Amino acid sequence: MCTGFKSSGTAPFSLCTGELLLHLDTFLGFELCIKAVDHQRDGAVAEIEKKIIEAFEVFDHECNKTVDVREIGSIVRSLGCFPTEAELQELLAKVEEEEEPTGYIHLEKFLPVMTKVLLNRSYRPIPEDVLLHAFEALDENKCGYLTKDELVKHMTEEGEPFTEEEIEEMLSSALDPETNTVHYRDYITMMIVDEPEDLPQ
């Protein structure tokens, strides 16, 4: 089942449950990467590059380190960014072949550009409603929260597993120690509250 969303400044797009969970994985993983960068942790940039490569490879159907130019928007959104159409075209201008566009984008050109975009937080992040639907997809009983065990199970058994250190860091900011649960609405609000005010509306 797919659900239609409209992100500010972008065209409408559809997300299936699997895509919502991908957004959630990306959101959780990328927030941990940003925290690592903020604390100047060794290997943080390498970790972000790894996530970019993994997202790129999902759409690299020929396994030759290239993707169709039409897939770039999907790749960028899967990395937790929601650029406007103008921003996306500007990105494409940086990664397309300058002399003779081929209709395909090479990883070696996309990786440094996208790494800079993520480190600088150049685009609007995942909209709150998309994140909310991702958490709600996991909240089968519609309780408004996930238990620690439920979230850890998702982070270790579905998609690319998070490391124990990443899980502990995420839980340290998301988990209510009294109830041992994650009230995801509060967590989402906390994570997006520092969004820069000068980003395009």
Side-chain angles (χ1 to χ4, degrees):
M1 179 177 178
C2 297
T3 308
F5 294 99
K6 186 170 184 179
S7 173
S8 299
T10 64
F13 59 95
S14 295
L15 294 173
C16 299
T17 299
E19 292 175 278
L20 287 169
L21 297 183
L22 174 60
H23 280 303
L24 180 55
D25 275 343
T26 301
F27 173 72
L28 296 177
F30 183 59
E31 283 297 331
L32 292 173
C33 288
I34 289 299
K35 284 183 180 179
V37 171
D38 289 344
H39 290 86
Q40 299 182 331
R41 182 176 302 169
D42 292 340
V45 173
E47 185 64 24
I48 289 178
E49 289 180 339
K50 179 184 174 201
K51 291 190 178 295
I52 294 172
I53 292 171
E54 288 169 352
F56 191 94
E57 288 177 343
V58 170
F59 296 88
D60 180 9
H61 305 302
E62 301 297 326
C63 298
N64 60 0
K65 298 188 185 303
T66 63
V67 298
D68 190 303
V69 66
R70 292 169 294 185
E71 304 277 24
I72 293 298
S74 297
I75 296 172
V76 172
R77 284 194 295 272
S78 78
L79 287 164
C81 300
F82 284 77
T84 64
E85 185 61 31
E87 288 171 333
L88 186 58
Q89 292 304 316
E90 184 179 344
L91 175 69
L92 288 174
K94 294 178 181 178
V95 299
E96 283 187 298
E97 296 296 329
E98 297 177 1
E99 297 180 358
E100 187 176 341
T102 62
Y104 291 89
I105 303 299
H106 292 271
L107 176 61
E108 63 183 21
K109 295 200 72 171
F110 180 74
L111 182 59
V113 173
M114 196 64 210
T115 299
K116 185 176 181 181
V117 164
L118 294 182
L119 289 175
N120 293 340
R121 308 191 201 194
S122 302
Y123 301 148
R124 293 185 66 85
I126 301 174
E128 184 175 356
D129 59 347
V130 176
L131 282 175
L132 181 59
H133 276 76
F135 274 104
E136 287 177 339
L138 298 179
D139 181 13
E140 296 179 356
N141 296 321
K142 308 306 177 189
C143 300
Y145 63 82
L146 297 172
T147 66
K148 177 182 177 180
D149 290 342
E150 288 172 333
L151 193 56
V152 169
K153 181 179 179 181
H154 168 69
M155 295 175 75
T156 57
E157 296 182 8
E158 299 181 34
E160 182 192 358
F162 287 78
T163 66
E164 184 175 341
E165 181 183 4
E166 289 173 332
I167 292 172
E168 288 302 318
E169 186 164 350
M170 183 267 176
L171 291 176
S172 68
S173 60
L175 195 66
D176 181 341
E178 294 185 2
T179 62
N180 220 32
T181 58
V182 175
H183 292 267
Y184 48 81
R185 287 178 182 271
D186 294 338
Y187 177 62
I188 292 170
T189 300
M190 178 184 69
M191 296 308 295
I192 68 173
V193 71
D194 293 329
E195 181 180 321
E197 295 180 357
D198 58 350
L199 285 172
Q201 300 297 313

